[in-house]
Amino acid sequence: MRILFGTGNPGKLREVQALFGALDHEVEQLKDEYPEIQADTLEEVVIAGLEWLWNRHNVPIIIDDSGLFIETLKGFPGVYSAYVFKTLGCRGVLKLLEGDENRTAEFRCCAGYVDANGKIITRSGTSPGRIIHEMRGTGGFGYDPIFVPDGMEKTFAELELDIKNRISHRGMAFAMLAKAMKE
Ligand code: ITT
């Protein structure tokens, strides 16, 4: 099946193309920036985004909203992750955590699909881990150079895309979404 992925983020696009490509879904980028509503949860942002996109295009579309939730910052940047990445970047987040022993954090992703009839489904994935003290690696995107997932020594930016997809918040969310799309 051919599906449009509404995203302006080429890193996300690469990951989802690899995941869905393995399931015989052809994923193409839809460059139509939907308004990201101010909300407390990623799922609310995804549902509002899909409704907006479906009203304009009337075809099957997937999107994802994701974020980095840092324990000692009470979940910040969380739903503000995109804005914080644009303004402070990885270095700014490392500065916020300077001197902090607690480095616990998790990535969350909510993936959503709207079918040709406008019916929406969402699935969420989480990737627990920690923020290290410096940036490492050149792969991935966003906060990947400062995040080491539990059970690993390498940052997401040091892991192959396929390995990140196997364990990441996005990998899990889209694997479950693909399963739900078949049902
Ligand atoms: P869209 O066009 O798909 O909305 P975006 O980059 O604005 O792309 P989000 O609104 O979901 O994406 O914002 C999430 C922020 O968190 C953004 O700055 C990403 O770079 C970052 N992020 C999301 N997933 C990530 C991942 O797997 N690894 C590293 N950073 C990630």
Side-chain angles (χ1 to χ4, degrees):
M1 179 164 82
R2 178 173 168 271
I3 314 173
L4 296 176
F5 182 16
T7 183
N9 183 323
K12 284 187 184 179
L13 182 67
R14 270 196 303 277
E15 290 179 9
V16 174
Q17 278 176 330
L19 279 162
F20 271 31
L23 302 169
D24 281 339
H25 290 310
E26 197 188 318
V27 175
E28 269 177 44
Q29 184 176 19
L30 171 63
K31 282 191 192 164
D32 187 7
E33 212 170 309
Y34 55 91
E36 287 201 12
I37 61 159
Q38 200 75 37
D40 292 335
T41 66
L42 301 175
E43 191 184 20
E44 288 169 80
V45 177
V46 167
I47 291 172
L50 283 175
E51 283 171 347
W52 190 89
L53 286 171
W54 192 80
N55 281 331
R56 280 165 66 103
H57 300 279
N58 274 251
V59 292
I61 296 169
I62 50 176
I63 60 173
D64 101 37
D65 195 42
S66 29
L68 178 65
F69 295 72
I70 300 175
E71 191 173 87
T72 188
L73 303 179
K74 298 186 166 55
F76 187 80
V79 291
Y80 308 107
S81 292
Y83 179 72
V84 169
F85 186 74
K86 269 181 231 141
T87 50
L88 302 180
C90 287
R91 283 200 175 77
V93 171
L94 290 179
K95 263 215 139 42
L96 287 178
L97 292 179
E98 241 167 35
D100 225 313
E101 291 290 300
N102 180 3
R103 315 294 291 193
T104 305
E106 66 183 30
F107 271 117
R108 292 183 205 157
C109 172
C110 180
Y113 168 66
V114 61
D115 71 13
N117 301 313
K119 184 176 163 250
I120 290 175
I121 46 177
T122 63
R123 291 292 182 273
S124 297
T126 303
S127 181
R130 63 182 201 279
I131 307 295
I132 56 169
H133 293 267
E134 70 287 324
M135 294 173 67
R136 286 199 333 239
T138 53
F141 65 95
Y143 300 103
D144 280 347
I146 57 170
F147 183 83
V148 171
D150 280 354
M152 299 260 171
E153 292 306 322
K154 290 183 174 177
T155 66
F156 268 161
E158 294 174 307
L159 293 172
E160 298 290 326
L161 182 144
D162 285 348
I163 297 175
K164 181 182 171 191
N165 265 348
R166 235 178 281 156
I167 59 170
S168 80
H169 48 300
R170 180 165 301 98
M172 283 179 219
F174 275 97
M176 287 190 283
L177 189 70
K179 204 164 155 231
M181 284 161 63
K182 273 207 298 198
E183 283 160 9

